[in-house]
Amino acid sequence: MTDEPEITKAPQIATTRRGFLGAGVAAGGALLGAGAARAAGPDPLITEVQPWAQGLGDGVDASPYGLPIRFEGDVVRRNVEWLTADTISSINFTPIHALDGTITPQGCGFERHHSGAIELSKDDYRLMINGLVDTPLVFTYADLERFPRETRTYFLECAANTGMEWAGSQLNGAQFTHGMIHNMEYTGVPLRLLLEEAGVKTEGKWVLAEGADASSNGRSIPLEKAMDDCLVAFKANGEALRKEHGYPVRLCVPGWEGNMWVKWLRRIEVGDQPWEQREETSKYTDTLADGTSRKWTWVMDAKSVVTSPSPQMPIKHGPGPLVITGLAWSGRGSITRVDVTVDGGKTWMPARLAAPGQDMAVSRFYFDHVWDGSEMLVQSRAIDSTGYVQPTKTELRDFRGLNSIYHNNCIQTWWVKANGEAENVEVS
Amino acid sequence: TPALADKLGIGRAALPEEVAAWDHDVRPDGLGLPEGSGDVLTGEELFSESCAVCHGEFAEGVDNWPELAGGLGTLDREDPVKTVGSFWPFLSTTWDYVHRSMPYGNAQSLSDDEVYAILAYILYSNDLVDDDFVLSKASFAEVELPNAGGFILDDRDSTELPVFIREPCMTDCKATVEITAHATVLDVTPNDTTDDGA
């Protein structure tokens, strides 16, 4: 039996967006009057015996470690070539437009490397703790597995997420405007336990975390944060970290900018002053309108985005019930509420959170709307447990100007047109 | 969970040679700088051999690769040019970064003297020293970069939070709404992203 050609029957149901735009809109419009009406005729997908109901599917040995079904081939990381000089020190984007719930599948969780994704085996892995400690220590990977563990879900958002949008609307899709983020359940050892094993001297006020890759990505972290909730993680979403996410060990710095989540973590140094590394001077500093720059802008503020409808997720079903959904998160605590507007912010309505917000983790929201088929200006507005309300881009620009690159947590607007297409716009 | 004072006895003491092999970081106060020196002309040769293919013969940058020189006085302009000369606060960062992570693709291949010389050339390219300048562990502290005072600590807690922690408007929040910018005008998004791929 050759199942490939037979199973290609299924995607005929779907159509390309071009096909949708050419002919589908008329059909969608027709649904307005006929949405709940009787079908024109019997559906052959029901009345005719389909191959999958007759023949056999794959055996259990077909894929020892499975990938998504091929119909989901568009749910992949994407690169924007013009953003960086090459693909090694670069960024790609999580397909957040197509995901639901809160956990990001590791295989499409975004990547940001400064000297590429290195291959480091558990056997070759070493973690050193040195500096202002009683005993500088070296741990093997096996050593780390013997420490008491913690499992927590956290978002990791690149400081530059939405950074291309400071000066105006640039990229047309939630994946590109907001996809430098993933949200995973991490398992690892609290950094505090490793530091206590070495014994931090009283003069110790900062730690330097650096990776095993050529870029090293060194960052200074105040000791208070290091002893609070930083996690030396070796599992994500139940399995080992992916190579591109720091295998075998990365640092989690909950709520703080992704750059500090040092991958392939090889060394923690304790010191009495910060190191002012390249990644906290030249980069990850935020230039204000007057030319001065903020440094050590560690926390990621409350933020949200509607993932559907959005430019990559046009409305194809015509007017009627419409699920407006998206993601919200805050580095200062948990998401307590998300509001949605369909008129560009004149009127707001509270959305439903899929689950109570967790500290420094992504929340999923749903807003069950009945779309009348007219244009919408869709926005979402996150509110966190500190009472912080996600600001507009204009409000952020009033404080920061246009050149701060990082930390753009503004309200996003999608212009949904009458044909269901959506575009990234700014509104007054 | 063991009490704070209880150690688990996991791991082993790091040897001095091991710490020396990995602990290369250099702080603004010079802590971590090794002995050594290098002059501008030596640095110019090294830069031409190892750096100029990406950063340009004059550290001005090639294509999309970083500019290391120029841009002085542009930080408050529409498109600031951020270089070692115009933006970086500390020379220590340059030493630390070049020594550990450059050249791109062949990191940790430069000797201490070579790093001193390349830094001397980068300073010269930024018109911060003369062409007979010698950078060394001793002369390091004499160099202050132009934007050393250009950074402030994160002040969001005092500037933004008092404004953004508020009761949000729910109805009649604005009289009119106009679209003021369109992403499709720029048209810089990669193609095919809106196809189903099915």
Side-chain angles (χ1 to χ4, degrees):
Chain A
M1 160 180 171
T2 56
D3 41 18
E4 280 289 308
E6 287 171 320
I7 284 177
T8 54
K9 275 182 113 172
Q12 289 170 6
I13 305 160
T15 179
T16 66
R17 180 163 164 277
R18 285 191 201 91
F20 159 72
L21 291 175
V25 176
L31 283 173
L32 178 59
R38 185 169 297 148
D43 183 348
L45 281 168
I46 298 169
T47 57
E48 295 173 13
V49 176
Q50 299 299 314
W52 52 82
Q54 190 161 42
L56 302 173
D58 292 335
V60 294
D61 58 349
S63 60
Y65 198 108
L67 288 170
I69 195 165
R70 61 201 171 90
F71 312 132
E72 298 297 312
D74 60 326
V75 187
V76 291
R77 296 186 279 232
R78 286 189 189 272
N79 173 38
V80 177
E81 275 183 29
W82 56 266
L83 280 177
T84 49
D86 76 354
T87 58
I88 307 289
S89 179
S90 194
I91 188 85
N92 63 26
F93 299 86
T94 304
I96 56 168
H97 63 289
L99 302 176
D100 210 317
T102 57
I103 294 295
T104 312
Q106 287 201 80
C108 66
F110 88 101
E111 303 167 70
R112 204 292 185 236
H113 318 302
H114 294 79
S115 291
I118 59 165
E119 187 174 275
L120 178 58
S121 74
K122 288 177 181 173
D123 284 347
D124 291 341
Y125 179 78
R126 297 289 185 272
L127 175 63
M128 180 184 291
I129 298 199
N130 75 304
L132 296 176
V133 293
D134 298 330
T135 313
L137 293 175
V138 171
F139 299 109
T140 62
Y141 180 83
D143 290 337
L144 295 182
E145 287 194 323
R146 298 169 62 205
F147 279 92
R149 278 172 222 173
E150 186 176 279
T151 290
R152 291 290 301 271
T153 301
Y154 296 121
F155 75 83
L156 184 172
E157 184 185 18
C158 179
N161 199 22
T162 322
M164 296 82 73
E165 303 291 312
W166 270 115
S169 301
Q170 279 218 92
L171 289 163
N172 210 27
Q175 179 171 19
F176 302 104
T177 57
H178 290 76
M180 295 182 196
I181 189 168
H182 53 59
N183 190 67
M184 299 190 190
E185 184 195 69
Y186 294 97
T187 299
V189 180
L191 177 56
R192 175 180 57 84
L193 295 182
L194 302 181
L195 289 168
E196 285 171 357
E197 196 68 16
V200 175
K201 292 181 187 287
T202 49
E203 314 94 273
K205 296 286 181 270
W206 292 80
V207 304
L208 173 72
E210 71 176 24
D213 63 315
S215 83
S216 100
N217 197 56
R219 285 294 306 252
S220 305
I221 302 171
L223 186 68
E224 196 176 43
K225 179 72 173 176
M227 299 297 271
D228 178 16
D229 58 3
C230 287
L231 196 62
V232 175
F234 41 78
K235 294 280 169 65
N237 296 348
E239 61 182 353
L241 297 171
R242 293 292 168 95
K243 165 182 143 180
E244 62 270 31
H245 295 143
Y247 182 95
V249 175
R250 83 171 311 158
L251 190 63
C252 298
V253 190
W256 289 20
E257 60 189 11
N259 178 258
M260 306 176 82
W261 294 52
V262 175
K263 297 187 283 192
W264 313 291
L265 182 71
R266 81 166 190 183
R267 194 169 69 92
I268 299 283
E269 181 175 350
V270 179
D272 60 348
Q273 291 175 34
W275 283 262
E276 302 277 7
Q277 293 259 301
R278 186 253 196 181
E279 304 291 323
E280 52 194 336
T281 55
S282 169
K283 307 295 176 188
Y284 307 100
T285 52
D286 314 350
T287 300
L288 305 172
D290 67 358
T292 62
S293 302
R294 287 173 174 164
K295 67 174 182 181
W296 302 340
T297 48
W298 299 311
V299 178
M300 301 307 291
D301 283 315
K303 185 168 174 178
S304 68
V305 64
V306 170
T307 52
S308 181
S310 65
Q312 294 158 286
M313 297 292 282
I315 303 169
K316 299 185 177 184
H317 53 59
L322 167 69
V323 174
I324 297 177
T325 186
L327 298 169
W329 61 95
S330 172
R332 298 186 190 274
S334 60
I335 291 297
T336 55
R337 191 175 115 195
V338 179
D339 297 331
V340 167
T341 176
V342 295
D343 60 13
K346 292 182 191 169
T347 309
W348 293 86
M349 293 146 289
R352 255 182 323 121
L353 295 183
Q358 299 177 64
D359 282 351
M360 283 100 60
V362 154
S363 284
R364 167 67 56 179
F365 66 87
Y366 298 108
F367 181 74
D368 301 304
H369 187 54
V370 178
W371 184 42
D372 64 7
S374 60
E375 287 186 6
M376 296 186 284
L377 292 167
V378 177
Q379 302 177 335
S380 61
R381 180 175 69 188
I383 302 172
D384 74 15
S385 49
T386 71
Y388 180 102
V389 180
Q390 184 184 1
T392 65
K393 200 188 285 186
T394 305
E395 287 174 318
L396 286 176
R397 285 172 178 158
D398 286 346
F399 283 107
R400 308 184 194 173
L402 295 173
N403 289 324
S404 56
I405 302 174
Y406 306 107
H407 292 279
N408 186 349
N409 65 316
C410 72
I411 289 173
Q412 172 67 44
T413 308
W414 306 125
W415 175 32
V416 180
K417 301 165 203 177
N419 66 4
E421 276 188 277
E423 189 195 345
N424 173 13
V425 297
E426 286 185 10
V427 295
S428 57
Chain B
T1 306
L4 204 110
D6 293 345
K7 296 190 180 184
L8 292 169
I10 302 172
R12 61 157 176 91
L15 301 176
E17 301 92 318
E18 294 171 331
V19 173
W22 275 9
D23 183 351
H24 294 161
D25 49 74
V26 177
R27 281 195 332 204
D29 62 1
L31 187 75
L33 269 181
E35 296 296 334
S37 69
D39 59 46
V40 170
L41 293 179
T42 306
E44 184 178 29
E45 274 182 45
L46 290 165
F47 197 90
S48 185
E49 286 165 22
S50 302
C51 319
V53 63
C54 296
H55 297 294
E57 289 292 339
F58 307 99
E60 78 282 15
V62 174
D63 298 334
N64 233 351
W65 296 100
E67 299 150 291
L68 307 182
L72 206 64
T74 65
L75 297 180
D76 60 353
R77 294 193 196 158
E78 194 175 327
D79 289 307
V81 178
K82 296 181 175 181
T83 71
V84 173
S86 71
F87 188 63
W88 290 37
F90 304 112
L91 188 60
S92 60
T93 311
T94 323
W95 208 100
D96 178 285
Y97 184 66
V98 170
H99 178 238
R100 185 174 39 241
S101 299
M102 288 288 132
Y104 188 67
N106 189 26
Q108 303 195 74
S109 61
L110 297 169
S111 72
D112 293 347
D113 285 344
E114 287 173 334
V115 175
Y116 277 111
I118 287 170
L119 258 62
Y121 179 67
I122 292 173
L123 290 171
Y124 172 75
S125 299
N126 278 285
D127 298 322
L128 298 174
V129 298
D130 294 327
D131 61 4
D132 60 355
F133 179 72
V134 180
L135 184 66
S136 65
K137 186 180 180 183
S139 69
F140 204 84
E142 296 165 18
V143 182
E144 180 168 326
L145 295 182
N147 199 41
F151 293 81
I152 59 169
L153 290 180
D154 182 4
D155 64 350
R156 284 177 291 175
D157 283 4
S158 59
T159 55
E160 298 183 7
L161 264 50
V163 175
F164 297 152
I165 294 178
R166 56 188 167 184
E167 197 53 47
C169 177
M170 296 302 284
T171 54
D172 300 323
C173 300
K174 38 185 162 176
T176 59
V177 176
E178 303 294 331
I179 294 176
T180 54
H182 289 265
T184 50
V185 172
L186 278 166
D187 197 23
V188 289
T189 310
N191 290 328
D192 297 321
T193 59
T194 47
D195 284 349
D196 286 340

